[in-house]
Amino acid sequence: MIKILLSIFIILLPVSSIANEISVIDVAKELNNDIIIIDVRNVDEWKETGVIPDSRLIQMLSPEGLVRKNFIGELLTTLGDDKNIKVAIICRSGRRSAATVAMLKDQGFKNIFNVTEGMMGDGKTTGWKNKNLPLVKCNEECK
């Protein structure tokens, strides 16, 4: 029941309502610095577009469209105990990443950002892929 309610929350969530935001351009500038990028899209999306170099791939939703049981645990394991770590969350367009930012804020993390525009943006001129920012083929994680 909680998974269903959370999934409905994600669908209805205004993208910028509760998330600190960072642009795709600003994230790209941080690639060689101390920012962790977490991509919460699904495997098919990773295969379709490729992934940001050195990003952590943690699929948010199950094939049924519900939040995966281990999602929060995988995020917490990836991020560790430092609540001030700088993290950018990206998805296709911003809804899943905004919900993930909210979840991590609830866990006490302070420097968590939703990547505005997401990977695809409007499908034409906005988004990581459409701005021709760095991508690599998804290998092991996509098998």
Side-chain angles (χ1 to χ4, degrees):
M1 181 66 166
I2 291 174
K3 285 184 182 182
I4 293 170
L5 292 174
L6 187 54
S7 297
I8 292 170
F9 169 76
I10 291 166
I11 292 167
L12 299 176
L13 179 73
V15 173
S16 62
S17 66
I18 55 176
N20 295 334
E21 296 184 338
I22 188 169
S23 73
V24 292
I25 298 298
D26 287 338
V27 173
K29 290 177 185 175
E30 293 280 332
L31 281 179
N32 295 321
N33 295 327
D34 290 333
I35 194 167
I36 293 175
I37 302 168
I38 298 178
D39 188 332
V40 297
R41 298 176 301 146
N42 66 44
V43 173
D44 288 338
E45 290 172 302
W46 297 333
K47 287 179 182 178
E48 176 187 333
T49 62
V51 297
I52 299 169
D54 299 318
S55 61
R56 316 290 168 77
L57 309 179
I58 304 175
Q59 185 172 317
M60 179 186 208
L61 301 178
S62 69
E64 296 79 29
L66 302 174
V67 175
R68 289 178 41 252
K69 183 171 77 171
N70 297 332
F71 179 64
I72 300 272
E74 289 177 23
L75 287 169
L76 296 176
T77 298
T78 297
L79 297 178
D81 296 328
D82 182 359
K83 302 293 184 181
N84 292 310
I85 192 167
K86 188 171 184 182
V87 181
I89 311 290
I90 192 166
C91 66
R92 182 176 178 85
S93 63
R95 292 197 185 282
R96 287 173 283 179
S97 52
T100 302
V101 167
M103 289 178 209
L104 290 170
K105 281 184 172 182
D106 285 347
Q107 296 292 321
F109 289 90
K110 301 186 184 348
N111 292 316
I112 307 296
F113 298 89
N114 177 36
V115 179
T116 59
E117 302 178 22
M119 184 60 70
M120 299 304 292
D122 65 7
K124 297 176 185 165
T125 60
T126 63
W128 188 279
K129 183 172 174 34
N130 295 318
K131 291 190 187 271
N132 295 312
L133 296 170
L135 289 168
V136 294
K137 184 177 180 182
C138 184
N139 292 315
E140 291 302 314
E141 299 90 344
C142 289
K143 288 184 179 180

